[in-house]
Amino acid sequence: MNYQYYMPTRAIIGEDCILNHSDVFKTLGKRAMLVTGARSAKLNGSAKDIMSALEAVGITYLVYDKVMSNPTVACAYEGAALAKANDVDFIIAIGGGSPMDAGKAIALLAAQDIEPSALFSGKYENKVLPIVAVPTTAGTGSEVTQYSILTNDAMQTKTGIASNYIFPAIAFLDSKYMEALSYTTLVNTAVDALSHAVEGMLSVRRSFISDALAMESIRSIMETLKAIAGMGDDVKMTSEMRDKLLYASFMAGIVIAQTGTTVVHAMGYALTYSKGIDHGKANGLLMGSYLKLVSKQDSDLADKIVSVMGYDSIESMDKLILPMIGEGVHLSEDEIEHYTQKVLKTSNVLNCLVKPAKEDIMNMYQEALNAM
Amino acid sequence: MNYQYYMPTRAIIGEDCILNHSDVFKTLGKRAMLVTGARSAKLNGSAKDIMSALEAVGITYLVYDKVMSNPTVACAYEGAALAKANDVDFIIAIGGGSPMDAGKAIALLAAQDIEPSALFSGKYENKVLPIVAVPTTAGTGSEVTQYSILTNDAMQTKTGIASNYIFPAIAFLDSKYMEALSYTTLVNTAVDALSHAVEGMLSVRRSFISDALAMESIRSIMETLKAIAGMGDDVKMTSEMRDKLLYASFMAGIVIAQTGTTVVHAMGYALTYSKGIDHGKANGLLMGSYLKLVSKQDSDLADKIVSVMGYDSIESMDKLILPMIGEGVHLSEDEIEHYTQKVLKTSNVLNCLVKPAKEDIMNMYQEALNAM
């Protein structure tokens, strides 16, 4: 089998990297649009650093700060209309996965006309505004992927745009923007990143290099999760811990840029769409159940992953993670049937090394959400 | 400190990947020039696969097969003149480090006028013919770096062009082209790749991600070297072993694309230039001596590297590697003084976490080449 490795984003990494590298923006154009959520980019200092850097090199900008959690297709079109109306040269997306994913879709839609019905087709012209991504959580890895995950009301789930055109041109990684993250956000985003690394190892597109990065990422994330377990709102992270988590999430992003995600993400998207469960938490609820299914057909692989985590069983992993992410919701039999139908339509199922049948997916939902 | 991660080459990997992905060439132009050495690309089937793939998609080509080991500046200009005269759209470099490094310089020189005196300046326009790289040894990693190392008679050593413009657009990794490699070539090239991974961990530009890739690369290379030690011309490599070595060399290439190399490479270049010692062998002769110097100032780091190799001492590493690469040459005191002066002028010295003084470099030459 042939496979590919590709990740063209230039990452600039370390404290104050935005202010130290303001010259980089001059290579992208003269007018920028910042894409953020309503609050966090303002509170954590990332938007201020970007604005200072842009002002230092004479680049004008406007701000689109209306990205909600699990951004909608409508949000992407709204942002793109604003970018077009203002002749923006490039997009700077700041935040967790939501603003970064919205920013990528905006950069695509601002540069070419795509009907909403064709938005997830994967067929685009090679025209997109350059994207700068500034992650302010350590979870999504969106700063180094070709994915933009949007809430797709037509499909009643979250769906991804996947195109090499939307890899960010530049990613700035400065963990100081994570200082004020709550315990809940830290845990949920770290579990999201963990899930990327683990699912990368469970994908048919797994390779020597995605595995190398995934294992290093898993080690770092588990070290951090074990260190902060149970701390709750008193959580204290040193800057070294924040760096480690941000870099682990970055590596896990490079992993899924190669491998894609598995049935765990597809199952999680349905939960997030219909039940509002946080994305990282949804993956965390389901990961153990899928690892158990993998274990039945390829115990060496499941053992290897669990051992990289520093455990000797999937149960031990769940014993750490499940209390940290908190309880799920109860699903009715009808809901499980409904979500399973949606999951079966995704390409994620085909992307699994161990392919789940319909009853496997139903059992995983059952185990993860009804047996608590 | 801030640092960057960047490696934009698209790698296409696996058996028959060139024939399976001939469509890729259509994205690069209509007329290609193959850059190879005199023989190996013909013998190992790589040139034939490239020609078949080009013919399948209607791309015309010519062949420049005059690249010698340790290619000269003159060779790069000669190849570039041929490319210009034939209106070539892109370059396909096939071979070990020599044709790939020559191919990158040719792609640069065919697209812009650069005086020989400015060739190593690092200041170029953003104009270069797209480069396709096909490694047929597992050593140089040139398929995923921004370096072109040429014999620089003006400096009486080998010198590197370093420019992000010369990252190959595409690298094809198919280990079947390594089938006929001799034991000597296998060992020397593997030791070169090992040296890249080790030196990456000893560089001031070392990072979490270069370390992750370097350690995985070191593990794979040492596994292979231990497996083939002493086999000589009876060496038997399975296709799995060849894959492992090629992928390790690829990862080590990504490492030095981020970190650069250290004093080991600078010392080796002088040996290769003046004494004709193979590049990988030169690094292998010197690596242990530099690790011993590192060990005196940062024993944790040296211990970590040796332990990733599966050893508990630098001497054990040398005990495996030195007999495999064979004896060096004897250097006179004058030669050592002369080479040391050249090494001290390189940026490689500044790139070392543990900076060697003049007497350290002289001692390393002494230990590696006079105390055999």
Side-chain angles (χ1 to χ4, degrees), chain B residues 129-315:
Chain B
L129 300 187
I131 301 155
V132 175
V134 183
T136 60
T137 64
T140 167
S142 183
E143 69 275 15
V144 282
T145 74
Q146 71 280 48
Y147 309 124
S148 162
I149 312 292
L150 300 173
T151 293
N152 180 349
D153 288 316
M155 294 264 299
Q156 297 207 344
T157 188
K158 296 178 73 178
T159 312
I161 299 174
S163 165
N164 282 344
Y165 303 144
I166 61 169
F167 272 109
I170 314 276
F172 284 106
L173 273 72
D174 185 341
S175 74
K176 76 180 177 188
Y177 307 129
M178 293 165 56
E179 271 175 38
L181 290 181
S182 70
Y183 180 73
T184 304
T185 302
L186 271 176
V187 169
N188 286 347
T189 49
V191 170
D192 185 26
L194 178 68
S195 166
H196 295 158
V198 168
E199 291 179 61
M201 294 183 72
L202 299 174
S203 157
V204 293
R205 285 182 275 162
R206 161 190 196 199
S207 73
F208 64 96
I209 185 163
S210 67
D211 269 10
L213 296 170
M215 289 189 286
E216 196 64 19
S217 177
I218 291 171
R219 283 185 204 103
S220 294
I221 296 168
M222 291 307 294
E223 200 178 298
T224 312
L225 286 177
K226 289 173 189 176
I228 66 171
M231 282 189 178
D233 288 342
D234 299 327
V235 65
K236 287 275 175 301
M237 299 264 289
T238 63
S239 67
E240 288 72 23
M241 288 167 77
R242 282 192 294 271
D243 281 351
K244 185 170 268 205
L245 208 49
L246 186 59
Y247 303 161
S249 159
F250 168 86
M251 288 192 281
I254 300 179
V255 170
I256 58 166
Q258 314 311 315
T259 65
T261 56
T262 69
V263 68
V264 174
H265 262 64
M267 291 176 68
Y269 288 147
L271 287 183
T272 301
Y273 183 85
S274 297
K275 295 288 180 178
I277 297 184
D278 172 272
H279 170 61
K281 175 174 175 170
N283 294 336
L285 288 169
L286 295 159
M287 191 166 56
S289 298
Y290 183 53
L291 276 171
K292 284 177 202 159
L293 181 70
V294 170
S295 181
K296 283 184 202 155
Q297 291 186 44
D298 188 344
S299 60
D300 285 353
L301 179 55
D303 289 350
K304 181 173 185 173
I305 291 169
V306 170
S307 129
V308 172
M309 292 182 178
Y311 288 125
D312 58 8
S313 75
I314 298 164
E315 288 74 16

Side-chain angles (χ1 to χ4, degrees), chain A residues 1-18 20-21 24 164 169 173 208-209 211-213 215-216 219 247-248 250-251 254, chain B residues 1-18 20-21 24 164 169 173 208-209 211-213 215-216 219 247-248 250-251 254:
Chain A
M1 201 187 86
N2 294 165
Y3 51 94
Q4 304 202 11
Y5 177 83
Y6 186 54
M7 203 298 283
T9 303
R10 178 195 311 266
I12 305 177
I13 302 167
E15 192 169 354
D16 295 329
C17 58
I18 292 174
N20 292 340
H21 291 83
V24 164
N164 283 345
L173 273 74
F208 64 95
I209 186 165
D211 269 10
L213 295 172
M215 288 190 287
E216 196 63 20
R219 283 185 204 104
Y247 303 161
F250 168 86
M251 288 191 281
I254 299 178
Chain B
M1 200 187 85
N2 293 164
Y3 51 95
Q4 303 202 13
Y5 178 83
Y6 185 55
M7 204 299 282
T9 303
R10 180 194 311 266
I12 304 177
I13 301 166
E15 193 170 354
D16 295 329
C17 58
I18 291 173
N20 292 339
H21 291 85
V24 163
N164 282 344
L173 273 72
F208 64 96
I209 185 163
D211 269 10
L213 296 170
M215 289 189 286
E216 196 64 19
R219 283 185 204 103
Y247 303 161
F250 168 86
M251 288 192 281
I254 300 179

Side-chain angles (χ1 to χ4, degrees), chain A residues 36-48 51 63 65 94:
Chain A
T36 72
R39 292 189 315 124
S40 68
K42 295 181 186 83
L43 297 178
N44 63 32
S46 53
K48 185 165 166 288
M51 291 173 188
V63 178
D65 63 0
I94 311 170

Side-chain angles (χ1 to χ4, degrees), chain A residues 306-325:
Chain A
V306 170
S307 128
V308 172
M309 291 181 179
Y311 288 123
D312 58 7
S313 76
I314 299 165
E315 288 74 15
S316 306
M317 175 199 84
D318 272 346
K319 217 174 271 178
L320 177 84
I321 291 175
L322 295 181
M324 291 181 82
I325 56 179

